[in-house]
Amino acid sequence: MRTLPGFRDFFPEDCARRNYITGTWRRVARTFGFSEYDGPTLESLDLYRKKNSGGEILGQLFSFTDKGDREVALRPEMTPTVARMLIAKAREFRKPIRWFSIAPFFRYEKQQKGRLREFLQFNCDLVGDDSPEADAEMLALLIETLRAFGLTSDDIVVRVSDRRVWMDFLAERGVKDEAQAREALAVIDKLEREPREVLEAKLSPFGLTLGGIETFLAEAKPEFFGRLQRNLAARGLEDFCVLDLRIVRGLAYYTGLVFEVFDRRQENRAVAGGGRFDRLLSDLSGGKVNLPAIGFGMGDVVLGDLLGERPDAKSRMDSSVKADLACDVFVVVADEARRAEALGVVQLLRATGRRVDYPLTADKVGRQFKDADASGAPVAIIVGQEWPRLRVKDLKTRMESELAQAALADWAANLQTPAP
RNA sequence: GUGGCCGUAGCUCAAUGGCAGAGCCCCGGAUUGUGAUUCCGGUUGUUGCGGGUUCGAGUCCCGUCGGCCACCCCA
């Protein structure tokens, strides 16, 4: 009895880790004025077959026929869903639209490090503005999100490219047909991975040479990148980005800027990726809605691995996990005859919003302190013979003081608890 | 989907073809109102699963499932 391959159980500690990641995503997106939205987990298979996704995603769909004979698929990405939502109500929202979502996705592929069949993804989209400043704003959001986890420009890098640069390059060399250009881009996408001879062979049908492309890669100084860097420099974020025209990305709908985030040591897969899709909404709506858009996705799997590997980021995550799992107060029932009073104390503390644990049945005081320690509570309230006075024990310093029962509500209101 | 390596207690691992073990974790105890560390005791196994070879298989062979890595691609 175990989970299906690529699917996960979330024990409390795993859940706390997930809460840390999703909570950080949500917090940063909100600081950029983004609103949260969501869509259905299950979609019509047609949504992905309309060849807007393309690439491998179609082959990785978790799809089946439902009891009503509909062909359906668990969503493998958010962009088609958000595109449909935007098309449905495009006129209702003030532009540019700033939306984010945090949701589970499914892809049927062989699981390995950084790749599961169910994962969470943070999706951010900026719709209705095609300016380079909008591009920079999205990269800033991406970078700030990673910074919020304690990652620095020594840990990660955003490799930035632009498909328009390549389209111009190809057009100048006679590759003008769009389908052909797309095939050529697929070869360029493999520059890092395939041997030179194979690349040469694949490029020659387009009238291209590997040498020509390498020269272009080395010498090209596209104008867009300088503008992007100046915008990011004004925010102090310029160290996070490098121009890397080798990034092309597999999804078919990208039209301009494209980017992927990697750890500097290149030990993991891409942490996040995205780009500009200025024609997707128009294409999907048959021209009814014509809004440019840029977006990115960040998965929880590679990010989680990376956070565990970087000491600073890890200690940040660990302390959040600890705070998430801990109680605020442990009530010790030192005298079983005072259990009723102890329950009153528990009730009062909980009413103030404190997380409270206590022994459900009679237990030795020594055992109770052990449990108090394990509960993670920084402080214990001891209810016993001295009632209506209470003893307050700081579980770290082991110092005790006395508190009148009548003063308990005020004491609880002033209790400092670490932010989760 | 293709290839390589791996699969023993909840976890980390040990056991020449010859009685399946250790550490950690967990639970209980060390004269009844105070939790570090310590000491004592206890539970935990269809050796992933199914066949085969052998007097005898955790160990060798075949299959299968699962995991890791690479390819493919990407969050």
Side-chain angles (χ1 to χ4, degrees), chain A residues 328-332 365-366 369-370 372-373 377-383 390-403 411 415:
Chain A
D328 298 320
V329 183
F330 192 98
V331 174
V332 171
V365 172
F369 276 101
K370 223 171 209 174
D373 203 35
V379 62
I381 297 270
I382 301 156
V383 182
L390 302 162
R391 297 200 65 80
V392 178
K393 180 163 184 174
D394 184 313
L395 290 169
K396 200 171 234 168
T397 65
R398 302 180 175 230
M399 300 289 284
E400 276 187 43
S401 58
E402 217 165 66
L403 179 72
W411 175 83
L415 193 59

Side-chain angles (χ1 to χ4, degrees), chain A residues 92-307:
Chain A
E92 293 192 20
F93 304 102
R94 186 171 57 90
K95 312 297 179 302
I97 295 167
R98 297 179 175 91
W99 281 5
F100 78 96
S101 68
I102 295 167
F105 295 90
F106 304 83
R107 289 187 196 175
Y108 195 91
E109 65 178 324
K110 199 160 175 175
Q111 108 164 319
Q112 52 184 295
K113 192 183 183 195
R115 286 293 172 267
L116 299 174
R117 289 180 172 179
E118 180 185 16
F119 55 95
L120 289 176
Q121 195 171 288
F122 175 47
N123 268 269
C124 296
D125 291 286
L126 179 62
V127 182
D129 188 325
D130 64 358
S131 69
E133 285 67 32
D135 292 351
E137 175 78 352
M138 289 303 280
L139 287 178
L141 169 53
L142 176 60
I143 294 165
E144 286 297 356
T145 301
L146 294 162
R147 266 165 43 87
F149 289 105
L151 298 170
T152 70
S153 57
D154 291 330
D155 299 315
I156 49 144
V157 61
V158 187
R159 298 164 68 189
V160 179
S161 175
D162 194 316
R163 283 198 175 182
R164 281 168 295 200
V165 172
W166 282 109
M167 296 313 271
D168 291 347
F169 172 86
L170 292 170
E172 282 166 24
R173 283 155 185 79
V175 185
K176 289 180 175 141
D177 176 66
E178 191 166 329
Q180 263 207 318
R182 194 170 291 168
E183 283 176 47
L185 282 183
V187 181
I188 291 163
D189 186 39
K190 293 185 173 54
L191 286 178
E192 282 182 282
R193 302 191 288 270
E194 299 210 276
R196 301 185 64 87
E197 312 80 65
V198 177
L199 290 167
E200 290 280 15
K202 287 185 174 175
L203 288 170
S204 63
F206 302 103
L208 303 170
T209 64
L210 186 53
I213 286 176
E214 284 172 336
T215 305
F216 179 68
L217 281 173
E219 294 173 357
K221 292 209 165 38
E223 187 263 342
F224 87 90
F225 188 71
R227 198 159 162 188
L228 204 57
Q229 278 295 59
R230 282 193 294 280
N231 185 305
L232 291 174
R235 313 172 194 236
L237 301 178
E238 71 276 17
D239 291 345
F240 285 86
C241 278
V242 299
L243 176 69
D244 190 337
L245 294 175
R246 289 171 301 182
I247 300 290
V248 187
R249 294 183 65 73
L251 293 174
Y253 49 65
Y254 290 117
T255 54
L257 189 81
V258 285
F259 50 90
E260 290 179 355
V261 179
F262 287 88
D263 62 308
R264 288 271 183 190
R265 302 183 203 171
Q266 293 258 40
E267 286 166 353
N268 289 284
R269 293 159 191 278
V271 179
R276 184 163 273 291
F277 42 99
D278 285 346
R279 289 200 301 271
L280 182 64
L281 297 181
S282 175
D283 289 349
L284 283 181
S285 66
K288 285 182 191 150
V289 174
N290 189 14
L291 288 172
I294 176 170
F296 67 80
M298 182 184 303
D300 72 309
V301 184
V302 179
L303 178 65
D305 288 347
L306 187 58
L307 295 181

